[in-house]
Amino acid sequence: MRKPVPITDAAAVAAVAESLSQQEIIAFDTEFLREKTFYPRLGLLQFADRKNAWLVDPLALSPGDLEPLLGVLTDPKILKAAHAAEQDQECLYHDYGILAEPVLDTSIAAALTGSGDQIGLGALLRKLLDIQLPKGHTRTNWTRRPLPPAMAEYAVGDVKHLVRAADLLLADLDKSGRREWAMTLSAAFADPRRYEPDPDAIASRIASGRSAGSVTYAVLRELVGWRENKVRKSDIPRRWVAEDSVLLSLAKARPANLEELSHFRGFGAKLLQKEGQAILDAIQRGKDLPPENRPTPPRKTQPDADEAPAVSVLKCFLNLLSREHKVPARYVIEPDDVIKLLRGRFRSAGELADSGLLKPGVPEEIGEALMEVLNGRQALTFSKGRVQYIEVSTGQTTRQTLSRH
């Protein structure tokens, strides 16, 4: 069998793109480095159809050389299969300004067809195709040239069986009526906003669940903005500048001058020498915001004393419902939104779907099952060590689900 060799010339790229453009479904993957940079450093592109697989060397080719393949990745008539596609999409976005679509994320498809949440590609291919992928190159230097044959073989393995796996997953999704759900969830990784700087969202995540007054939060947002600007310009990981906890502590302490800042733990001397004044300026900007213009600190919605037991029961039901339907609970609703679900007072599954609390694409039958419990028409009970759903109006067992063990 011919050993895989990365393509390094534009003519060969065009030939591969021409072949792929004739397919209704293809697979793609990327290999990259990120340990010492903010942006992923793309080292290899992999493509496959049902019969062939190719490696493409982005280090030897310009964006113009790769234009035919980028066109395939954005062709709306060709379905692209990728496993855990978010970082692959990020590489495409930052290197070439495109996002592959439409995409079927086989990790999501596997989760919606009962293979478990976040299953690895190797485990998925073993389950679906009885194929064992080579190991040993998950953490390696993909910018190394020439690329060793063992690394090239490993990279090909990530895509050459993926179209066959996707075909099986799509068949299962169609049987269960979940193809649209899988495609909707996969499409979230083709949203460019996911890969653009959003200091406000980062600050909200850092402050969530912690006590932060309006001034502290205003300062935190300015400090996050300073860090985002620094890491993106310097292309270094956020943690090399400051951990999230350091920024929050700094926003609370609010040192007023370089002397006070120099005693603050969490910054290196070289960074303070170069960025000390910029840090103080960010703190001052947050402090100077008039009260009416200060952002509202995020507040995690907490159940009151009467609601807490109901939230626990509802979470139990959600977990059972997810197990029964063989889907991860996080694909139904975010954990923090369960209290909002309880407080919603929805009168129908349609109202629940329109509320935006459920994840996009959640099947109607799951929404209807939730409404049965929310409106008191179904309850949970134990019988002989197993959980049962009880029809409240009749007292009859409707279905049996999980054991207590």
Side-chain angles (χ1 to χ4, degrees):
M1 182 178 177
R2 183 176 61 86
K3 295 293 185 182
V5 177
I7 292 169
T8 58
D9 67 275
V13 167
V16 172
E18 175 61 26
S19 179
L20 290 172
S21 69
Q22 307 305 312
Q23 308 299 316
E24 61 183 18
I25 178 172
I26 66 169
F28 80 98
D29 189 30
T30 65
E31 304 294 350
F32 56 90
L33 300 179
R34 200 172 197 166
E35 287 79 6
K36 298 180 180 180
T37 60
F38 178 80
Y39 296 106
R41 294 286 178 87
L42 186 60
L44 200 64
L45 291 162
Q46 302 108 285
F47 296 89
D49 58 22
R50 289 189 174 91
K51 295 182 178 179
N52 303 295
W54 299 269
L55 303 181
V56 177
D57 187 352
L59 304 183
L61 297 158
S62 70
D65 294 333
L66 291 168
E67 187 61 35
L69 280 175
L70 302 181
V72 170
L73 287 171
T74 55
D75 188 332
K77 300 185 298 296
I78 302 172
L79 179 61
K80 275 69 68 170
H83 193 80
E86 182 173 17
Q87 290 186 310
D88 302 314
Q89 293 277 45
E90 186 179 9
C91 287
L92 295 175
Y93 186 71
H94 285 300
D95 279 68
Y96 306 115
I98 67 136
L99 289 163
E101 56 182 330
V103 167
L104 174 72
D105 189 320
T106 51
S107 174
I108 292 172
L112 297 186
T113 53
S115 290
D117 196 12
Q118 297 179 324
I119 186 173
L121 178 60
L124 180 62
L125 293 181
R126 283 196 303 273
K127 178 177 181 178
L128 295 179
L129 303 171
D130 196 25
I131 287 172
Q132 184 76 37
L133 290 182
K135 297 180 180 180
H137 295 283
T138 53
R139 291 186 177 273
T140 193
N141 183 4
W142 289 101
T143 62
R144 177 182 174 185
R145 296 296 183 271
L147 193 68
M151 291 172 61
E153 190 66 36
Y154 173 90
V156 164
D158 281 352
V159 291
K160 70 178 180 180
H161 308 292
L162 197 52
V163 172
R164 288 173 58 201
D167 285 337
L168 294 174
L169 290 169
L170 286 168
D172 284 346
L173 288 167
D174 287 338
K175 286 178 184 177
S176 60
R178 292 180 176 180
R179 180 189 282 236
E180 183 179 355
W181 191 7
M183 294 300 297
T184 299
L185 292 172
S186 300
F189 299 133
D191 184 347
R193 292 173 296 181
R194 199 177 191 96
Y195 312 106
E196 290 291 346
D198 190 351
D200 290 349
I202 296 171
S204 178
R205 173 180 55 78
I206 293 172
S208 181
R210 299 176 175 90
S211 58
S214 61
V215 177
T216 295
Y217 187 57
V219 172
L220 176 63
R221 289 209 317 174
E222 294 293 336
L223 288 170
V224 168
W226 159 77
R227 185 182 66 175
E228 286 299 292
N229 184 60
K230 174 68 176 175
V231 298
R232 290 169 188 271
K233 282 186 175 180
S234 303
D235 193 19
I236 55 177
R238 290 187 180 101
R239 67 182 184 279
W240 286 17
V241 175
E243 298 282 0
D244 291 349
S245 58
V246 171
L247 295 186
L248 182 58
S249 296
L250 189 62
K252 292 178 178 179
R254 300 194 282 276
N257 53 55
L258 290 171
E259 174 66 20
E260 292 181 11
L261 184 59
S262 68
H263 297 300
F264 193 85
R265 297 180 62 184
F267 293 111
K270 289 184 178 179
L271 179 70
L272 286 181
Q273 186 177 4
K274 292 182 178 180
E275 297 288 331
Q277 191 56 53
I279 294 171
L280 292 174
D281 290 344
I283 292 171
Q284 194 61 49
R285 285 195 301 273
K287 290 168 61 177
D288 288 345
L289 273 178
E292 63 271 18
N293 292 338
R294 290 175 192 157
T296 302
R299 293 284 183 261
K300 190 173 182 178
T301 304
Q302 298 286 356
D304 60 32
D306 292 330
E307 291 172 325
V311 168
S312 296
V313 171
L314 187 52
K315 285 183 177 180
C316 176
F317 178 78
L318 281 164
N319 288 332
L320 293 173
L321 185 65
S322 298
R323 290 281 296 275
E324 181 184 7
H325 286 268
K326 297 181 180 179
V327 297
R330 69 188 181 97
Y331 288 161
V332 176
I333 189 171
E334 291 290 345
D336 290 345
D337 287 339
V338 174
I339 180 62
K340 299 176 185 176
L341 183 62
L342 181 67
R343 293 174 178 174
R345 302 293 189 268
F346 303 107
R347 293 172 294 180
S348 67
E351 283 189 6
L352 176 57
D354 292 341
S355 72
L357 288 179
L358 300 186
K359 290 294 190 71
V362 171
E364 185 177 347
E365 64 265 23
I366 291 181
E368 290 174 348
L370 280 170
M371 289 302 304
E372 291 292 300
V373 169
L374 289 170
N375 290 335
R377 292 190 291 269
Q378 292 231 338
L380 303 176
T381 186
F382 281 114
S383 177
K384 298 180 180 179
R386 299 184 70 84
V387 176
Q388 295 178 333
Y389 295 86
I390 298 296
E391 189 78 39
V392 173
S393 60
T394 64
Q396 293 181 342
T397 300
T398 58
R399 56 198 187 281
Q400 187 169 288
T401 58
L402 306 175
S403 70
R404 298 194 311 189
H405 307 292

